[in-house]
Amino acid sequence: MFREGPRVLGQLGNTYIVCEVKDGFMLVDQHAAHERVVYEGLREGYSASRVEVQEFLVPYNLELSGKEAGVVAKRADQFQRLGIQLEHFGGNTFLMRSAPALLGNAEWDTLIADLVGEMESGPVDDQAVLDKALTVMACHGAIRAGKRMSVDEMGELLEQLNRMNLPTNCPHGRPIFKHFTYGELERMFKRVV
Ligand SMILES: [Zn+2]
C-alpha cells in the first residue's frame, strides 16, 4: 500500500497518524497499531523461549492483595517465562526484578494486577490464557492515545506494521487503520458520479 515506505503527513489529536499511501491516505490509531506490534514481538519471544528483558537496577516494590500474592506465588515460574521476575520479599510484598524490554516504562502495579486477573484462570501453557496475558502486556506496553509522537516515531511504527503486512486489527479486535482512496474522495467531492 505504501509507495516506497510510509510517508507520514502528521498526527491528529495526538491519537491518529495521517499517512499518504499510493491510492489515497490512511488514518492509523497509534495505540491499536503499537499494541499489535508489541503483542507480536512478545509472542515471538515467548514461543522461542527468549523474551528480551530489561533488568531493573533497583527492583520495583509490589504491594499485592492476599489473593494476588497467592496467584503470584503459585505462578512465579510462568511470570518468569513472560519475562517478569518476581521474588517474594515477605508478607504480600514482592520484588519485581525484570520486565519484557518491549514494555518500556509501563505502570507495573496495574500491569501485574491485570495479569494476575488473567493468570488465576489457568497456566500460561494454556493457549487462551497465554493470549490474554500477552494482550494485557501489549496494552500496557503500547503508546497511549493522547501521546504526542515525532514524525520519526510515527514512521518507525508504520514501518513495523508494514513489515507485518499491515495487520487490520489490534489484539482486542479493534481496527488499526482506515484507508481512504482517491476514488472515495472524488465521489465525496462530486468530481465523479
Ligand atoms: Zn489497549
Side-chain angles (χ1 to χ4, degrees), residues 133-151:
L134 296 179
T135 301
V136 162
M137 292 206 286
C139 188
H140 280 271
I143 296 161
R144 302 274 127 200
K147 186 180 181 287
R148 189 189 196 104
M149 293 176 76
S150 70
V151 171

Side-chain angles (χ1 to χ4, degrees), residues 31 35 138-140 142 144 172 174:
H31 175 75
E35 199 167 62
C139 188
H140 280 271
R144 302 274 127 200
H172 296 113
R174 288 200 296 106

Side-chain angles (χ1 to χ4, degrees), residues 43-113:
R43 203 173 61 167
E44 227 173 80
Y46 184 86
S47 32
S49 300
R50 48 172 177 78
V51 176
E52 209 185 307
V53 297
Q54 45 174 332
E55 310 250 0
F56 299 151
L57 284 177
V58 180
Y60 185 80
N61 238 303
L62 285 167
E63 298 293 340
L64 305 178
S65 70
K67 191 179 161 215
E68 288 169 336
V71 175
V72 166
K74 191 167 143 212
R75 305 219 181 272
D77 58 321
Q78 301 182 10
F79 275 95
Q80 173 103 47
R81 284 167 57 196
L82 292 169
I84 299 174
Q85 197 192 336
L86 297 167
E87 187 184 301
H88 192 211
F89 190 64
N92 292 332
T93 306
F94 281 76
L95 296 181
M96 184 169 170
R97 294 194 175 276
S98 71
L102 277 167
L103 298 193
N105 258 322
E107 292 200 1
W108 306 122
D109 295 281
T110 49
L111 168 70
I112 298 298

Side-chain angles (χ1 to χ4, degrees), residues 1-7 20-24 182:
M1 199 179 301
F2 298 122
R3 227 186 287 263
E4 287 154 11
R7 186 172 160 241
E20 183 181 18
V21 296
K22 269 190 227 136
D23 57 350
Y182 286 119

